[in-house]
Amino acid sequence: MSSNPAQIALPTPFPNHLQLPEENGEFVKNFQEHPQSILLTDSLSAVLENLHPDGRYAIGQDCGIYWRQTDPPDRGAEAPDWFYVPGVPPKLNGQIRRSYVIWQEYIAPMIALEFASGDGSPERDRTPLFSAENENTRPGKFWVYEQILRIPYYGIYQIRNEQLELYRLINGIYRLQETNDRGHYPIEPMGVELGLWEGSYQNQTQRWLRWWDGEGNLLLTGSERAEIERQRAEREQQRADRAERERDSIARSQREAIPQLLRMGLTPQQVSEALQLPLEEVQGFNKREERS
């Protein structure tokens, strides 16, 4: 007797980004994290639009990257403070992403950045998935990014001492990179450089992670571009105002010179040519002088 297909137990499908937890209940570790993420994303927008005219890229900020199924689920995820994934849509089936699920996407982030409040030890943790001491040990963040997700670029910014480290995946191993002559780390696939910038952003003055282009030009945020445009328009208006005042001053001097030249015996035609004024204006002035 054949079995009823409705009674056959099917394996449970892998959960998707809507079924997995989007947070683990931990507080953001410092007040710089969110402004730092916004600064990185905002200033990179023009570059990403050029790299992805079809709009297929995603930016994650303190969002979970799920790489294995665990119980509880968040033990199978890491949440970089900022990461960029090329070649994937910003939404899935029209829904805002709640997490990034590797077994659905198959595309690793190009770069992940961690903003370390402490000495960076958790961000450099190389503990493997199954250690000899304890098979239930949670693997280190560094190990997951390097050995499982294989993210090509991994940056650790120690906020406390303002130190930035950038690792590049070479032959399956993260290698600590050296800065170029400008003190920046080139991210070649993106055509940009990553470095530190001293300045004020969102009412906080300190050193921030910023992007530069391949020529060493700082990539600006939308508000910075708007401020530069405002200053440019203001300078143009000031130049226009000065030019108008100069024209008015010259015209006044020319009009004041008309009677002097006429009294010297020059004809209205000669005065017109000398002062580069319309003949009618000189003649009109001459007639007023004669009536007075």
Side-chain angles (χ1 to χ4, degrees), residues 210-230:
R210 292 292 300 259
W211 306 106
W212 284 260
D213 65 18
E215 303 298 321
N217 301 303
L218 183 67
L219 298 184
L220 304 178
T221 65
S223 60
E224 288 171 335
R225 291 193 296 271
E227 176 61 20
I228 289 175
E229 177 58 27
R230 186 194 66 79

Side-chain angles (χ1 to χ4, degrees), residues 13 35 46 60-61 67 114 143 181 210 216 247 250 254:
Q61 301 176 35
W67 57 277
E114 295 284 1
W143 184 88
D181 293 340
R210 292 292 300 259
R247 288 193 297 271
I250 292 171
Q254 288 173 322

Side-chain angles (χ1 to χ4, degrees), residues 11 15-16 24 38 51 55 58 70 87 108 121 123 126 135 142 150 163 166 184 193 198 207 212 220 274 285:
N16 61 31
N24 62 4
I38 295 169
L51 288 174
T70 57
S121 296
E123 290 74 18
R126 293 172 166 83
E135 290 189 356
F142 192 103
R150 297 188 177 278
Q163 296 295 317
L166 186 82
H184 304 157
E193 299 175 357
E198 182 85 29
R207 299 191 82 188
W212 284 260
L220 304 178
F285 184 89

Side-chain angles (χ1 to χ4, degrees), residues 118-119 157-164 207:
D119 63 2
Y157 179 37
Q158 292 179 236
I159 296 173
R160 185 172 61 187
N161 60 9
E162 300 177 337
Q163 296 295 317
L164 172 62
R207 299 191 82 188

Side-chain angles (χ1 to χ4, degrees), residues 46-86:
V47 170
L48 295 179
E49 288 171 6
N50 184 59
L51 288 174
H52 306 285
D54 59 358
R56 290 182 63 84
Y57 70 89
I59 298 291
Q61 301 176 35
D62 204 26
C63 296
I65 301 178
Y66 281 87
W67 57 277
R68 66 169 180 151
Q69 280 193 288
T70 57
D71 185 17
D74 61 7
R75 288 183 61 83
E78 293 295 343
D81 292 317
W82 190 95
F83 63 94
Y84 151 66
V85 190

